[in-house]
Amino acid sequence: MDDNTSAQVEIQVHLAPGVSSDKTLDALYAFTDCEVSISPNCCVIDDNKPHFLTVSDVLRKSVDNTMALIRKELEIRKGELLELLHFASLEKIFIEERIYKDRQFEQAPTMDAACEHVDNRLTPFYPQFVREVTKDDILRLMEIKMARILRFNKDKADEAIARMNGEIEEIDRKLANMIEVTSDWFRMLKEKYGKEHPRLTELRNFDTIEAAKVAEANEKLYINREEGFIGTSLKKDEFVDNCSDIDDVILFYKDGKYKIVRVSEKMFVGKNVMHVGIFKKNDKRTVYNVVYRDGKEGNHYIKRFSVTAMTRDREYDVTQGTPGSRIVYFSANPNGEAEIIKVTLKPNPRVKKIIFEKDFSDIVIKGRQSMGNILTKFEVHRIGLKQRGGSTLGGRQVWFDWDVQRLNYDGRGQHLGEFHSEDMILVVLDNGDYYLSNFDVNNHYETNIRFIEKYDPTKVWTVALYDADNNGFPYLKRFLMDATTRRQNYLGENKENREILCSVQYYPRLQVTFGGADSFREPLIVDAEEFIAVKGFKAKGKRLTTYTVAEIVELEPTRFPTEEELAKPEPPMEEPVNEDPDAGKSAGDILDELTGQMKLF
C-alpha cells in the first residue's frame, strides 16, 4: 500500500495476483474506515427549549421560516404600494378638480378651515380611495408645490396608478401561492450562486455490503475425523475448503445431528462427522440429499432440503429424532443437483425385487424439519451412487439495479435473464468500449453503461459511425461481440471516431438525410443486412456515402426473423457417467454375493 497523498488524497493498494479488485473494494468498505456512517443528534433551540430533530425536520422548519420572511416582505411591499396609490389618487383628484383654486380654500382664515374645505370636496371621491382620508393626507396635499401642479399630466398619472394596481395584483397572486414563490426563490439562489459553490458530496443510492460475503478466504480449514477436531491450524490433516476467519462451518453427523460453528484455529466438534463445509446464510441453492433410517429397525426415508439460517452451536436433527436413527446416504449439492441412487435390500423371501433405483429429482425440496418420503420399509444392505444428475433449480435469475450500479438476485432493477455457471454478462459503455463479466453480485460497474445484458455470441450488432481516418465519412459495420473479459472498442483505434447510432435489430434499416450543398438529394434508405456482411468488430465497415450528411436515423424494420432464425443451436448432450459399483452384474450375481453363495462355473 502506497500513500501518495499531497493536495489531494491518493492511496494506491497493490493486490496479490488472482485477488478480485471488486471484492477488495467492497472489503475496504466493510472492514476499514474508508467510509463511516454518521448519525448525528441534531439539537436545536426553539422557543427557548432544546429539541432533538431529524435533518428533515430542521430543513422543513428552515423552509417554513424562509416562506414566512418572503411573505412578510411581500406584505410590506404591498403596504408601501397602497400608500403610494392612495396619495397618487388624492393628488390626481386635488389637481384635476382644481380644489386649490376654490375661493373658500384661497380665503380660508385658518389651516383648519382650509383642511375642512378640502375634506368636504373629497368626500364624493371616498369610494375610489384605498383607505380613509386623514388630516395628515390633506396637510401633505398642502405641501404640493406650484411647479408640480403646472407640470401635472393626467395620462402619466393614470399610467402610474395602473402600474401600481398591477403590481399589487401580482403581489396578491404571490401571497396566494407561497409554496410556488418560495420554490422559485430557492431556484434563483441555485442559479445565481450554484456555480460558485458546487456540491462536494455525491448524490446517489448505495447498496449494503455484507462483511461475510466480501471477506477474503485467506485461511484453510482442516478436519481430523479420528480425533474429532476442525480448525485452521491442523495443517497435516484432511483439507476441507478455503475460508475466512469470520465464516461459519456446518457439520453433519452420522446419527442425523447437524449444527454450525465459528471458524477457529482448533475446535473439538465430536467424532462421526459425515460432512463438513462452509455455511452460507440464506443460501437456497445448496441442497442436501439425504436417506436416513428412522430408529434401529424403522423405515428408510428420503428427503431433500436446504439450510438457510441456523443458531450457532445449537444442534438440529435431519431425522425424526428416534433413538438409533442413522444417515444411510448423504450428498451436498451447491447448485441443487439431483443424482440417481441404487438401493440394494437385504435378501428377504417376501421381496422379489431387492435392487431398485431412485432419482432424487422426483423428490420435492422442502424445509429442513420435514420428515421426507418413505423410500422402503425393508432392511437396506447398501445405497450407492449410480449416476450424477444436473441441477433441478435451473439457472440463477439475475437483475441489474441502475440506482446502485450493482447486480442482485432479489428482483431489483432490470431483469438480465437466467444464468448458468458458464453464462456471462455483456457490458457496453457510451464510448464504444465493451467487455464480459461474470454474474457475481460483488462486481462493480461504471456509471456510463449504455447496454448491459446476458451475453449472446450469435447476436449481430449494427453500428454507424464517422470514421476520422477517412475524412469523417459515415461508415456502417455489422459484427459479433468477441467473448473476452478484456476491454475492447468497436469504434476503432482512432479516438476521434464518433458513433452515430447502434442497432440490435435483426434486419435494421437506416435513412441517410443529406445536407449542405447536397441537401437537394433524396434521402438514402439502407437495408443494413443487404448492404454489408457480418464481420469482426475490428473491421472498418463499408462507407455509406461521400456526400454531406445532415443526419442518419434508424427506421422501423420491414422484415422480421423467423422462428428458425431465432432458434439457438442446442448444446451437445453429454453421455451420463455410470458410477454404479455393480455395473455389469446381474441381480443373481449380486444376490449370490450377499448370501456368500459360490459358483462352480
Side-chain angles (χ1 to χ4, degrees), residues 4-61:
N4 300 329
T5 302
S6 55
Q8 301 291 332
V9 176
E10 180 183 351
I11 299 176
Q12 293 183 350
V13 180
H14 303 276
L15 302 180
V19 178
S20 169
S21 58
D22 291 334
K23 197 170 183 179
T24 302
L25 188 60
D26 284 344
L28 288 173
Y29 283 109
F31 298 109
T32 71
D33 290 337
C34 67
E35 181 182 72
V36 180
S37 298
I38 300 176
S39 301
N41 285 326
C42 185
C43 183
V44 178
I45 305 300
D46 188 16
D47 194 21
N48 294 324
K49 296 178 182 178
H51 296 272
F52 289 93
L53 306 176
T54 63
V55 175
S56 298
D57 293 333
V58 174
L59 183 61
R60 188 177 295 108
K61 184 75 172 178

Side-chain angles (χ1 to χ4, degrees), residues 50-101:
H51 296 272
F52 289 93
L53 306 176
T54 63
V55 175
S56 298
D57 293 333
V58 174
L59 183 61
R60 188 177 295 108
K61 184 75 172 178
S62 176
V63 171
D64 290 342
N65 290 339
T66 301
M67 185 166 62
L69 291 173
I70 295 175
R71 179 186 286 110
K72 192 171 183 178
E73 288 183 354
L74 291 173
E75 291 173 348
I76 291 173
R77 178 57 182 165
K78 180 181 178 181
E80 293 173 349
L81 287 173
L82 289 175
E83 285 298 318
L84 292 173
L85 178 62
H86 179 69
F87 187 75
S89 302
L90 282 174
E91 185 183 61
K92 177 175 177 291
I93 294 172
F94 182 74
I95 297 175
E96 285 184 349
E97 297 297 327
R98 296 181 179 272
I99 296 176
Y100 60 89
K101 283 193 173 184

